[in-house]
Amino acid sequence: MKDKNKFMLKILPLALIFVLFLCILNVVKVQCTELNDNIRCGDIDKNGDINISDGVILKQYLAHVTGITVDKEVGDVNIDGEINISDAVILMQFLAGMDVKLGADSETPTIPEKENKKLVAYFSATGTTKKLAQQTAQIWNADLYEITPQNPYTSSDLNYNDSNSRANIEQNDENARPDITGSVQNMQQYDSIILAYPIWWGQAPKIICTFLESYDFSDKTILPFCTSGSSPIGNSAKNLEKCCSNTTKWLEGRRLSANISTEELKQWIHSSGINDVKIEEESTIDSTMNPEDTTNKEEQTLKISFGQYQLEAIFEKNSSADAFKELLKKGPVTINMSDYGNFEKVGSLGTTLPRNDVQVTTEPGDIILYQGNSITIYYDTNTWNFTKLAKIKDSENLKEKLGDGAVLVTFSLE
């Protein structure tokens, strides 16, 4: 009887704590059910029920956050010299009326290691970023979350040529934070996040700041990628770092083409450092091709020759670039190109190619189709509706290489 009383004195304080925890869970469950029948925020471990494991996880979390420790003599229920999960399990068994076994030889329950959960979060106003985010989540085996504006963006909101459009006003306002509808359920469970967004005037839309400032990303890893007509990710990701804790780890992001292949996307995720992705080895040469024929359509390089220089460029993946390749298969094309606007060399193509115009902010090395019948080589920046054909690999000192005035430029296939 004396031993039982001693045990009761040891277990009662913890019993009261756990009863309180379970009461809190039950209240939260009721409140969540009243708000939305589909919300089950009491089921912390998502096993379909609110039970002991949820109480244990909650106890661990509160102990981690508050730093509260329980007196060893009181909390060491199984008398094994330390306070751990086994004490919590025994406590719950006792409360349920089950026989418990105390002492160092009692069985110690095992707790599975926390899974490294992954999330792809994206904002997409036109659908381009959404498509890539969905593909990324599938490849990476991650959860997917869309950052949805409370007030959706219309085509007039995205009219970059209108200085009074919503997008322009927000991007020019350092403090703009467009409201978001909905939220990520249990953001705490995610250790790694891929963040996807379009580029608006060289930066991420301000709604991305709203998203980042809505959660605690301390000690989490974020890998950003952007989509755009041709603009690189630039310093957009660097500026987003200011929205997070100093302990948030940011990996180097990049711009992804809307036409990126699944294998290229796998390679990028794998090389980014965010997580290992199994890369399936595939032959780069179609099995139906002759061994000597290595000019696979996807691997062709655009050669650009003028004066003493010979440069190489990578084709874009669109119907315009494909049509340009078909034209060059008939033979090299030489164009007399001259300066325009102090940011490009431009010349008539002599024929018309299909257009895929989008709002583009050019950068040095961009090969652009203008109005379907002119080719331009950009050596500086400009923003307009263009079709990007290719990108020069090495655009260093491109303006000096092209020189002043007119220049004959020959385009050909490798």
Side-chain angles (χ1 to χ4, degrees), residues 353-372:
L353 301 180
R355 297 165 63 173
N356 289 276
D357 289 347
V358 293
Q359 187 79 14
V360 172
T361 299
T362 64
E363 57 183 19
D366 284 341
I367 309 297
I368 299 291
L369 176 67
Y370 176 61
Q371 293 188 342

Side-chain angles (χ1 to χ4, degrees), residues 24-57:
I24 293 173
L25 282 174
N26 191 51
V27 170
V28 171
K29 180 182 179 183
V30 172
Q31 290 177 339
C32 288
T33 303
E34 291 175 350
L35 291 172
N36 187 333
D37 289 338
N38 294 323
I39 297 176
R40 305 181 62 185
C41 51
D43 186 11
I44 298 175
D45 60 0
K46 296 183 179 180
N47 67 352
D49 194 13
I50 298 179
N51 51 27
I52 176 177
S53 62
D54 301 306
V56 172
I57 294 171

Side-chain angles (χ1 to χ4, degrees), residues 47-95:
N47 67 352
D49 194 13
I50 298 179
N51 51 27
I52 176 177
S53 62
D54 301 306
V56 172
I57 294 171
L58 179 60
K59 175 182 178 293
Q60 289 177 312
Y61 173 73
L62 292 177
H64 173 71
V65 171
T66 64
I68 295 175
T69 57
V70 182
D71 182 81
K72 181 177 179 180
E73 189 64 29
V74 175
D76 187 10
V77 179
N78 64 355
I79 322 174
D80 65 352
E82 60 182 19
I83 301 172
N84 51 31
I85 285 299
S86 62
D87 299 306
V89 174
I90 293 171
L91 171 61
M92 298 308 293
Q93 290 174 333
F94 176 80
L95 292 177

